[in-house]
Amino acid sequence: MKKSELPDPFSDARKTKGCGQMHDQGDDVTMVLGLKDVRKCAHNWKTFQSGAKPGRIVVPNEEYIRETRQIPFEVDPPAHGDYRALVEPWFKRPLEVAYQEKLQQLVGQSIDEALSAGELEVVSDFALKLQSRALTVLLNIPLEESETWIKWGTHVFRSEDSPVDGDKAKILYDYIDAQIDQALASPGEDLYSVLLSSEVNGQKLTREEVKGVMILTFAGGRDTVINAVTNTIAYFAEHPQSLDRLRQEPELITRSVEELIRYFSPLTHMGRVVTEDTQVCEHAQKVDSRISLVWASANRDERIFEKPNEVVLDRKVNPHVAFGFSHHNCLGATHARTLLKILIKTLSERIGKMEITDHQDNIEEWGEFKRKVGFDSLKVKFEETKG
Amino acid sequence: MAKITFITQTGTQITAEASSGNIMELAKENNVEGIDGDCGGVCSCATCHVHVAPEHFDKVGKASEIEEDMLELDDNANEYSRLGCQIEISEDLNGIVLQVAN
Ligand code: HEM
Ligand code: FES
């Protein structure tokens, strides 16, 4: 098996039952596996809500380590739409040329570092750095700030021994509190300041609401982007002919990003709380129980995708749900897509060869399912394009 | 060449011409409000949703099953709904009118 390969552990359960089961701190989860079922449940926010107790829709459950409601993630329509309309223009800035030029510079810097090192550990020394630097562009704050986030390491929201670690989470919450204080004292053009001065339905956002948006922006865009970047490097290291093809046909890069995101599905699943007795995959599902929408499984659904377990770089029709579906679809998707496009373009232009010299898989355990989502570490040798 | 008219939610009318590509791309090139094309045209985001004028629907044709599944869960969908990225532009589409759904 190639190192960049990510097998689909959900296939049998998806075909035979449509659902899986997992235990999570005494609050079990029915995992919805098929693409159509995942979409239907994501769309049906009345029965499958996001606005439950803060932290409960996350798997593993975070309700005991977090009180702040993440916004707009843990809010249902119609209030969700009001928050979303407020932040949406900010999160569309990656479509602007000036924004893309900044990202291009950061990607260039990361590739320079890789080439001058010759060999490096991609997760911490490439993906984490690039993700953190790029986040300063999204927040519109000085690049130096990324040094703090890089120092936190890859797992500020997760510890090695327990999936949810209150102390680690506190580092982020305290940091955001301090940043909000600073923005209140001297407002600027950054996301904190913009949020602090904005209104929803004639009401100023409260400090707690601003915190809710910021925590989500950090948490939602960290592991996901790190995995996507690392897996991209691993994939092209093992498929140099694909990189050659994109060099010759750069117009395929947009499709290739969608396909890689489908294949990687950096966020495996996300939960919902059931608001009434109902049925999921033809099984009874009780009020106040939890389900999860398994994006990673839906993206390999053989009823929808031909050759679901292959990367088909120019896949033309690709109705994947790697960025979610319906109301809560990923707010950071424009940023993530733009970053990956620039990364792939730059790799195709500047990298002659990449070779994986060592690797440690990152394997998640969800009940009966073990899913490789990427790497805990990935050592790669980089060589420049010749001539 | 096909001449295609978009009518946005705010009532702006934009007529554009093309002989190839798809409707989402044409709308984006002409800054048609309400067509974002987030996924670049692979039928994953539904941000390219249009309602075809009923009298032109035969020219455009029905959605594929995969596209149909996307539209089924779109709150603004009706029987004339299509995803712009799934409509290839050809001479046959000359003169059609599309109402932007979002
Ligand atoms: C490749 C990278 C990424 C992937 C695969 C990804 C995936 C997802 C998915 C599947 C959802 C839906 C969750 C649900 O339905 O409950 C989501 C929501 C969200 N993501 Fe991302 N994400 C990525 C990057 C980012 C980035 C970079 C940010 C911001 C910095 C971000 C911020 C958000 C936010 C704010 C939401 C909630 C939107 C809402 O509830 O309306 N994501 N993401
Ligand atoms: S552009 Fe995404 S579905 Fe048409």
Side-chain angles (χ1 to χ4, degrees), chain A residues 345-383:
Chain A
K345 180 141 200 297
T346 312
L347 287 172
S348 78
E349 288 163 357
R350 295 194 49 199
I351 298 295
K353 192 175 169 210
M354 295 185 283
E355 187 193 339
I356 300 175
T357 52
D358 199 7
H359 71 107
Q360 197 76 50
D361 289 344
N362 174 1
I363 296 177
E364 303 171 333
E365 281 195 33
W366 306 109
E368 64 191 283
F369 308 108
K370 289 189 181 39
R371 172 172 193 244
K372 172 169 168 178
V373 66
F375 300 88
D376 282 332
S377 76
L378 180 77
K379 265 218 162 131
V380 174
K381 271 191 192 158
F382 291 84
E383 276 176 36

Side-chain angles (χ1 to χ4, degrees), chain A residues 209-227:
Chain A
E209 287 173 317
V210 171
K211 199 173 161 185
V213 176
M214 294 309 304
I215 292 178
L216 175 61
T217 305
F218 274 91
R222 195 166 167 91
D223 285 357
T224 48
V225 173
I226 292 172
N227 276 333

Side-chain angles (χ1 to χ4, degrees), chain B residues 16-60:
Chain B
E17 275 187 326
S19 47
S20 63
N22 65 50
I23 293 290
M24 178 276 290
E25 289 165 350
L26 181 67
K28 286 206 42 166
E29 280 157 26
N30 290 276
N31 297 314
V32 175
E33 205 189 325
I35 302 280
D36 293 344
D38 286 349
C39 75
V42 297
C43 200
S44 158
C45 71
T47 63
C48 60
H49 182 178
V50 294
H51 297 149
V52 181
E55 63 272 26
H56 300 146
F57 196 74
D58 281 348
K59 284 193 186 181
V60 177

Side-chain angles (χ1 to χ4, degrees), chain A residues 24-42:
Chain A
D24 174 24
Q25 305 162 71
D27 189 16
D28 291 353
V29 182
T30 300
M31 303 171 75
V32 182
L33 303 177
L35 179 71
K36 285 193 191 187
D37 287 335
V38 164
R39 280 214 201 113
K40 273 193 191 130
C41 295

Side-chain angles (χ1 to χ4, degrees), chain A residues 124-296:
Chain A
S124 329
D125 296 334
F126 188 92
L128 169 64
K129 287 185 181 171
L130 181 55
Q131 179 272 332
S132 299
R133 290 165 182 165
L135 189 62
T136 64
V137 184
L138 185 61
L139 305 193
N140 201 26
I141 59 174
L143 178 60
E144 295 79 66
E145 201 59 29
S146 61
E147 288 161 23
T148 305
W149 312 334
I150 293 166
K151 274 198 215 103
W152 289 343
T154 44
H155 285 99
V156 71
F157 314 100
R158 274 202 229 134
S159 84
E160 275 67 61
D161 22 86
S162 109
V164 276
D165 183 332
D167 293 339
K168 290 242 174 138
K170 203 166 169 295
I171 299 178
L172 175 69
Y173 303 165
D174 290 349
Y175 170 83
I176 287 174
D177 268 324
Q179 296 298 307
I180 292 177
D181 286 336
Q182 212 178 347
L184 280 169
S186 56
E189 313 242 289
D190 51 280
L191 180 56
Y192 303 95
S193 304
V194 168
L195 291 172
L196 285 166
S197 67
S198 43
E199 291 182 357
V200 164
N201 296 329
Q203 291 272 3
K204 259 206 158 160
L205 281 193
T206 63
R207 184 191 173 104
E208 183 68 4
E209 287 173 317
V210 171
K211 199 173 161 185
V213 176
M214 294 309 304
I215 292 178
L216 175 61
T217 305
F218 274 91
R222 195 166 167 91
D223 285 357
T224 48
V225 173
I226 292 172
N227 276 333
V229 168
T230 308
N231 286 338
T232 298
I233 300 282
Y235 176 78
F236 286 115
E238 292 188 321
H239 299 85
Q241 69 288 3
S242 298
L243 205 52
D244 284 342
R245 181 164 178 214
L246 295 178
R247 182 179 315 127
Q248 280 147 22
E249 301 173 72
E251 64 280 7
L252 290 181
I253 290 179
T254 302
R255 274 188 207 160
S256 72
V257 165
E258 297 305 315
E259 174 65 349
L260 290 171
I261 289 280
R262 176 192 74 85
Y263 185 78
F264 301 153
S265 295
L267 186 63
T268 301
H269 63 159
M270 188 50 70
R272 296 288 189 268
V273 172
V274 179
T275 59
E276 58 187 335
D277 286 348
T278 184
Q279 286 212 325
V280 170
C281 330
E282 293 166 20
H283 284 287
Q285 190 74 33
K286 279 238 170 333
V287 62
D288 201 41
S289 65
R290 292 195 298 167
I291 65 165
S292 83
L293 313 172
V294 189
W295 320 113

